[in-house]
Amino acid sequence: MSSWAERVHRRAADLGNVVTSCGHPATAPAYPYRLEKVKFGVPLEEVCKHNNNIPGPLLVLILKLNKESPNRRDVFRAPGHQGAMKKLIHFLQAGRLVNVDNYSVFTIASVLKKFLRKIPNGIFGRSGEMELFAINELQNEAEQTDRLHRLFASLPKYTQHLLVLLFGTFRVIASNAAHASTGMTSEALGVSVAPSFFQSCVSDGKTARMEDVLKFKVATKIMQHIIDKFATHDIFGRDNYEYYARVTGRILKVQDEWICSFQYPPPPRGKLAQQKYALQHSLEAEKTWLQCQCERWGLRP
């Protein structure tokens, strides 16, 4: 390890000891020199075994995409830098500190797609993929939504969290496609990410079969459908939408209900109650601003 790296680790350890020791100096663990490892090619259960949730480094990558991708062209479609991808994957698997500012959103998106593609049997599992293909054949939209909701609810909690973060990010990107002229509509995203989610539509051989091509088209349609219905239908469940809002800091409107988990007390349920709640907080914010301006200009008695 170089002298510079040693100094960085030593300072991080000193800072970690100060922060984590506050109030519990005897039992506080030292700052970890290594982060959680993000392993490629292993079951998601093993990746998320620490605290039964998404590893911190993987979460940071998703949040960077959620923040910066909506205004960038061709994210998830344009390939990332191959050298930077290999370096980032090495750091993730080794559990080393990663400065995400050193990597473009294209590189991070490509690494994320590779991580999903390497999950054995895919993030949905073989039975989950078959269920999604069956749901796509349904004509009744309400029945489609209900079965999608039940399918996602049957998955482990860490899988639900990962899916709601991914599809929420896709939805933000698609929503800004026309305004920001990024070209990444829900259809374009579906085409770009479907192979990473549906392993059953990827041929094992070097030559794609017609069956695989047809499956890929259906998988693209399924991805587009979930992206479009992300907030208009209760697909993932309120707990997962609140998790998404809490982690990303974004506000969602799901079936005429606003969801934002960074305010206290939380907003009430019901459209009329939420309108009254929003009006009340709006008036309070305006009152606070006026008071600040009065104090600034010396107008208060």
Side-chain angles (χ1 to χ4, degrees), residues 82-115:
Q82 290 297 317
M85 285 178 59
K86 290 181 180 179
K87 187 176 180 180
L88 179 55
I89 291 173
H90 171 70
F91 283 174
L92 290 173
Q93 295 198 114
R96 293 180 57 181
L97 293 171
V98 177
N99 185 354
V100 293
D101 288 337
N102 293 337
Y103 301 93
S104 70
V105 290
F106 306 104
T107 295
I108 292 176
S110 297
V111 168
L112 188 58
K113 286 167 63 176
K114 185 171 184 177
F115 168 78

Side-chain angles (χ1 to χ4, degrees), residues 230 233-245 252:
F230 176 79
H233 294 68
D234 186 10
I235 297 177
F236 290 95
R238 186 177 181 89
D239 288 345
N240 287 320
Y241 285 120
E242 289 181 349
Y243 169 81
Y244 173 81
L252 291 175

Side-chain angles (χ1 to χ4, degrees), residues 45-198:
E45 177 183 3
E46 185 174 344
V47 177
C48 302
K49 63 182 179 182
H50 182 71
N51 292 331
N52 203 33
N53 213 334
I54 304 171
L58 182 61
L59 183 61
V60 169
L61 298 184
I62 298 174
L63 292 179
K64 180 179 173 70
L65 293 176
N66 188 278
K67 178 183 178 182
E68 299 182 9
S69 296
N71 297 315
R72 303 293 297 274
R73 287 186 59 86
D74 296 332
V75 178
F76 285 105
R77 179 162 57 192
H81 187 276
Q82 290 297 317
M85 285 178 59
K86 290 181 180 179
K87 187 176 180 180
L88 179 55
I89 291 173
H90 171 70
F91 283 174
L92 290 173
Q93 295 198 114
R96 293 180 57 181
L97 293 171
V98 177
N99 185 354
V100 293
D101 288 337
N102 293 337
Y103 301 93
S104 70
V105 290
F106 306 104
T107 295
I108 292 176
S110 297
V111 168
L112 188 58
K113 286 167 63 176
K114 185 171 184 177
F115 168 78
L116 294 170
R117 194 165 58 248
K118 291 289 186 178
I119 296 175
N121 297 322
I123 189 170
F124 296 122
R126 293 294 183 180
S127 59
E129 290 185 16
M130 294 302 102
E131 174 66 8
L132 286 170
F133 284 125
I135 292 173
N136 183 67
E137 299 295 328
L138 299 176
Q139 301 299 321
N140 187 297
E141 187 176 18
E143 187 178 356
Q144 276 189 337
T145 301
D146 180 64
R147 287 182 61 174
L148 278 173
H149 177 83
R150 284 190 279 121
L151 172 62
F152 291 143
S154 68
L155 298 173
K157 202 62 182 179
Y158 49 80
T159 305
Q160 295 181 41
H161 285 172
L162 181 56
L163 286 173
V164 77
L165 286 174
L166 291 172
F167 280 101
T169 300
F170 297 154
R171 179 57 183 165
V172 174
I173 295 174
S175 299
N176 285 272
H179 174 72
S181 301
T182 63
M184 294 312 294
T185 61
S186 59
E187 182 180 3
L189 282 166
V191 172
S192 301
V193 302
S196 299
F197 283 78
F198 288 85

Side-chain angles (χ1 to χ4, degrees), residues 221-266:
K221 183 180 178 181
I222 294 171
M223 294 295 295
Q224 180 183 356
H225 176 78
I226 299 175
I227 295 170
D228 289 335
K229 304 299 182 184
F230 176 79
T232 58
H233 294 68
D234 186 10
I235 297 177
F236 290 95
R238 186 177 181 89
D239 288 345
N240 287 320
Y241 285 120
E242 289 181 349
Y243 169 81
Y244 173 81
R246 183 172 65 254
V247 171
T248 63
R250 294 188 180 275
I251 300 176
L252 291 175
K253 188 177 184 182
V254 181
Q255 291 185 322
D256 290 330
E257 285 196 21
W258 292 99
I259 297 178
C260 47
S261 297
F262 55 87
Q263 290 183 335
Y264 184 84

